[in-house]
Amino acid sequence: MSRKSSDNDYSLRSMSNLMGERRKKVNDGERSLIKAVPANAATATSTGDLEREARKQFQQDVTPAFVYVLAAFSALGGFLFGYDTGVISGAMLLLKREMNLSALWQEVLISSTVAAAALSALAGGFLNGVFGRRVCILLASFTFTSGGIVLSVAPDKEVLLVGRLIVGLGLGIASMTVPVYIAETSPPHLRGQLVTVNTLFITGGQFTASIIDGAFSYLRHNGWRYMLGLSVVPAVLQFVGFLFLPESPRWLIQKGLTQKARRVLSQIRGNQNIDEEYDSIKNSIEEEEKDCGGDGPVIWRMLTYPPTRRALLVGCGLQMFQQLSGINTVMYYGATILQMSGVRDDKLAIWLAGVTAFTNFLFTLLGVWLVERVGRRKLTLGSIIGTCLSLSLLAIGFLLSAQHTPPVTLHPTDPSIVNSTCNRHLLCEPCMLDPACGFCYRENSTALFASSCVPVNTASTEKAAWGRCSNSTQLRVHTYWAYNYCPTSYSWVVLLGLVLYLAFFAPGMGPMPWTINSEIYPLWARSTGNACSAGVNWTFNFLVSLTFLHVAQNLTYYGAFFLYSSLALLGFFFIYGCLPETKGRRLEEIESLFDNQLCSCGATDSDEDRQVEYIRVKGSNYHLSDNDASDVE
Ligand SMILES: O[C@H]1[C@H](O)[C@@H](O)[C@H](O)[C@@H](O)[C@H]1O
């Protein structure tokens, strides 16, 4: 099954094909050479206009703009993923007032989408295999459009729930199909970057959602309809775009639609010779059918065939640890964390949550830049260790706040409320962690005074059931109601932890699980593998975000973040042990990385030391540097 031995042959053959094509185009006086050199050999580069021109020409030849168009239209799926998961928090602030939603209904509306996404991601594997990537992306954008329309016209909470479920179905399918489609249409040297762009669009969608939330939060009546409904715009754009975009050539070859596949390959590879790629995909499909044949559903064949079983474990493990490192507690509860750091105004907290989303977006951009430079393995390892440390810093910030939590100085009681636990709390921290109570206090510029722990209003957590903090007008005159935070002077530690967390998480742990999953399975197992790992991602997203507040209540905030930090540390050991480097390899050869034992701590018996360097000679010698060598694979 292993094709390792032929890797070098392949590069050389593919080079000569490429060269063959080029020879047709070059002028009479132009000559071409191929030379295999050790990667670390010094390259005597003569820079200058000629070389720059050659490199530009070379890269243009290799990557037609059409590949970028495909990636951008597909990544609109990522944008919708980010937008639809991000927009709900701001919309909820308006919805709960307008529709008088109980806490349970709020939770149901938020988590129903994530749960539906988990199920449809699993179903997406089957749909992808049978109908192809393009049809699935069309289906997802159609679903997003319908969901957006239902949400924007919803007359009551039941219809809202239907809309959120529909959106979730679209999310699941898009989240597993888009990375696969981009990976299958990209050339190897750009694959990592283009699939990572999809996660850039996810975080871009989350950031846009926070801006839209901020802008429409001023429209108290019906503002949520615009927030939820605006997702229709990118969804329609993607739908229309995909009516004209082609199917993945790999899927077409698998289905025996060879002529069509050749047409698409020529379209996406520009003036390159496509024979090599076509043959390689075809051979690998035939080989796979022979080797891992056997009957039964794909998932069964994957589990009983060691290389795919190992790939599946790595893929699902990565997705699980992405969510266990707590990204969505930060994305969904960012406003609460910001309130802890002293931002008490709701609207300001919404806008600042936008800053959090922007930081996530900005650092994902760094990931796009790094992925082909440092490779997937190093990027993911560096990211998770930084994530683990910054989670500890966040936890330390919360711990310091808890240790210096302000005392309760007033103990008012309302005889109409019996059995309240609130008047038993002597400090802000336990009062705030008790879901039935909140901390009501006054503050002048230097100190906090007249603080009490009183029951929360059952209809809205934004005010107390009675007393000074039960009336929003009174709340404005230096009296504050803290339901899920305690005033603290250690907010800067929390803020620093938050920023560092995003700076480390976003370039690696955010995008890499999606990118790596799109490339580690052989074609026959690719849709099922991605369906399973995306399903794992959504399931853990659901579990972590749903349990965050309960975990915080039972373990305190610092306990919760120490927990996520330890889980990230476990993730580090898992990744260190089991994740091989896939950078620069063709999809067809990545499978061989899982031929041997599951965890080899990144060591592969590959030909990493040798690369092929392409030299074109036209009048004088000029050649591509080591970095560019992968361009010609
Ligand atoms: O890769 C993405 C990204 O990091 C998002 O910010 C997060 O909300 C998603 O759950 C995750 O899958």
Side-chain angles (χ1 to χ4, degrees):
M1 178 95 219
S2 167
R3 285 177 298 282
K4 269 176 260 165
S5 54
S6 63
D7 289 350
N8 245 8
D9 293 359
Y10 173 79
S11 304
L12 287 167
R13 272 187 294 123
S14 101
M15 288 291 302
S16 41
N17 272 326
L18 188 63
M19 302 282 302
E21 278 287 297
R22 282 157 187 244
R23 267 190 218 105
K24 287 182 210 138
K25 292 190 293 155
V26 294
N27 299 333
D28 286 344
E30 187 173 319
R31 291 179 294 123
S32 303
L33 299 173
I34 296 172
K35 194 170 77 173
V37 292
N40 52 3
T43 45
T45 318
S46 65
T47 43
D49 289 351
L50 199 55
E51 183 185 331
R52 262 194 304 278
E53 201 36 55
R55 183 175 292 137
K56 218 166 102 199
Q57 173 63 34
F58 186 83
Q59 299 203 330
Q60 270 167 4
D61 283 358
V62 172
T63 315
F66 191 53
V67 168
Y68 295 105
V69 174
L70 283 190
F73 268 96
S74 325
L76 280 176
F79 182 87
L80 285 157
F81 171 162
Y83 187 86
D84 280 316
T85 49
V87 79
I88 191 69
S89 55
M92 199 52 80
L93 291 179
L94 303 181
L95 268 170
K96 67 183 178 194
R97 275 194 217 108
E98 205 164 316
M99 292 207 177
N100 211 4
L101 296 178
S102 65
L104 179 68
W105 261 97
Q106 290 176 44
E107 267 174 12
V108 167
L109 285 176
I110 292 181
S111 38
S112 54
T113 309
V114 181
L119 294 178
S120 78
L122 291 173
F126 169 77
L127 297 176
N128 253 269
V130 177
F131 300 109
R133 323 317 187 200
R134 179 174 167 270
V135 170
C136 283
I137 295 181
L138 280 169
L139 180 68
S141 39
F142 177 76
T143 315
F144 279 128
T145 312
S146 334
I149 295 174
V150 171
L151 285 169
S152 61
V153 300
D156 52 35
K157 52 183 186 292
E158 286 78 14
V159 180
L160 267 179
L161 177 60
V162 173
R164 290 288 293 163
L165 285 169
I166 298 178
V167 165
L169 295 179
L171 273 177
I173 298 179
S175 67
M176 65 127 314
T177 312
V178 169
V180 171
Y181 180 80
I182 300 181
E184 290 186 345
T185 48
S186 314
H189 72 288
L190 276 183
R191 188 182 61 236
Q193 225 157 37
L194 292 179
V195 182
T196 307
V197 163
N198 184 48
T199 313
L200 184 72
F201 273 53
I202 299 182
T203 52
Q206 287 173 328
F207 172 54
T208 311
S210 63
I211 302 275
I212 300 281
D213 275 356
F216 285 100
S217 63
Y218 298 91
L219 208 64
R220 297 216 135 222
H221 185 63
N222 283 341
W224 58 269
R225 292 191 192 277
Y226 296 99
M227 297 176 183
L228 299 174
L230 273 173
S231 64
V232 169
V233 178
V236 170
L237 191 67
Q238 190 187 40
F239 186 85
V240 175
F242 261 85
L243 288 177
F244 302 98
L245 292 174
E247 179 50 86
S248 146
R250 285 176 163 80
W251 184 84
L252 288 171
I253 298 176
Q254 194 189 28
K255 294 291 161 193
L257 300 166
T258 48
Q259 285 315 311
K260 231 177 172 175
R262 291 190 74 93
R263 265 205 309 279
V264 178
L265 266 179
S266 324
Q267 223 180 342
I268 60 179
R269 295 292 175 258
N271 48 15
Q272 265 187 70
N273 186 351
I274 56 152
D275 291 343
E276 185 72 38
E277 188 170 359
Y278 177 84
D279 288 346
S280 141
I281 302 173
K282 205 160 180 342
N283 291 343
S284 109
I285 292 174
E286 281 163 10
E287 223 177 302
E288 279 161 2
E289 272 164 11
K290 256 185 276 141
D291 285 355
C292 56
D295 290 326
V298 180
I299 184 69
W300 175 249
R301 281 158 58 203
M302 283 183 81
L303 290 173
T304 48
Y305 179 56
T308 46
R309 184 173 61 230
R310 292 182 195 121
L312 189 63
L313 274 172
V314 170
C316 292
L318 277 173
Q319 292 286 26
M320 178 180 83
F321 282 114
Q322 180 198 66
Q323 293 300 320
L324 289 181
S325 342
I327 178 64
N328 289 315
T329 63
V330 170
M331 295 311 289
Y332 302 165
Y333 298 96
T336 307
I337 297 177
L338 287 161
Q339 277 180 334
M340 270 213 61
S341 58
V343 183
R344 300 188 191 98
D345 180 53
D346 262 8
K347 291 219 177 58
L348 192 58
I350 294 186
W351 280 112
L352 284 177
V355 177
T356 318
F358 181 69
T359 316
N360 195 13
F361 171 73
L362 201 69
F363 283 95
T364 312
L365 203 61
L366 179 67
V368 175
W369 188 76
L370 285 176
V371 61
E372 294 299 354
R373 288 176 173 80
V374 300
R376 288 52 159 164
R377 186 177 150 83
K378 278 194 202 132
L379 185 56
T380 317
L381 278 173
S383 163
I384 199 159
I385 199 69
T387 299
C388 169
L389 293 176
S390 35
L391 279 167
S392 299
L393 186 66
L394 255 174
I396 290 169
F398 282 110
L399 178 64
L400 288 171
S401 313
Q403 279 173 345
H404 298 88
T405 192
V408 173
T409 51
L410 294 179
H411 298 274
T413 46
D414 183 330
S416 64
I417 301 202
V418 277
N419 284 340
S420 164
T421 49
C422 305
N423 51 13
R424 284 186 226 142
H425 300 304
L426 303 177
L427 296 167
C428 175
E429 178 81 1
C431 169
M432 177 269 291
L433 288 172
D434 185 336
C437 320
F439 189 68
C440 181
Y441 65 100
R442 302 197 68 181
E443 198 179 47
N444 60 24
S445 52
T446 50
L448 187 146
F449 61 97
S451 54
S452 56
C453 179
V454 283
V456 62
N457 186 323
T458 40
S460 155
T461 56
E462 277 166 44
K463 46 190 182 196
W466 48 263
R468 292 170 301 160
C469 286
S470 61
N471 177 323
S472 2
T473 343
Q474 272 181 22
L475 278 180
R476 274 188 226 124
V477 283
H478 302 298
T479 304
Y480 299 101
W481 169 243
Y483 176 66
N484 46 17
Y485 68 95
C486 281
T488 169
S489 50
Y490 290 96
S491 43
W492 64 272
V493 185
V494 174
L495 264 190
L496 182 68
L498 186 67
V499 170
L500 286 178
Y501 173 81
L502 290 168
F504 280 110
F505 181 91
M509 278 311 281
M512 286 309 106
W514 298 107
T515 303
I516 292 165
N517 267 287
S518 72
E519 50 190 22
I520 54 176
Y521 309 103
L523 185 54
W524 62 270
R526 195 166 295 149
S527 13
T528 307
N530 275 276
C532 292
S533 60
V536 166
N537 180 290
W538 287 110
T539 308
F540 279 89
N541 182 340
F542 179 74
L543 290 178
V544 172
S545 46
L546 200 70
T547 54
F548 174 63
L549 290 180
H550 298 274
V551 172
Q553 262 158 36
N554 292 302
L555 297 183
T556 70
Y557 276 98
Y558 63 84
F561 282 101
F562 275 130
L563 175 71
Y564 299 132
S565 173
S566 334
L567 291 169
L569 187 65
L570 266 184
F572 170 80
F573 290 124
F574 172 78
I575 294 166
Y576 181 78
C578 305
L579 179 66
E581 182 55 80
T582 49
K583 176 189 149 197
R585 291 173 181 271
R586 284 174 305 118
L587 290 178
E588 283 64 40
E589 67 186 59
I590 288 176
E591 183 193 349
S592 63
L593 295 174
F594 294 91
D595 272 353
N596 299 317
Q597 87 251 38
L598 173 61
C599 295
S600 57
C601 297
T604 55
D605 47 351
S606 67
D607 56 338
E608 263 172 358
D609 286 347
R610 284 173 65 80
Q611 291 184 9
V612 173
E613 185 172 7
Y614 174 64
I615 301 176
R616 271 166 92 190
V617 185
K618 185 180 182 183
S620 64
N621 279 356
Y622 50 92
H623 55 262
L624 298 175
S625 69
D626 280 350
N627 274 348
D628 296 326
S630 60
D631 289 2
V632 295
E633 264 215 359

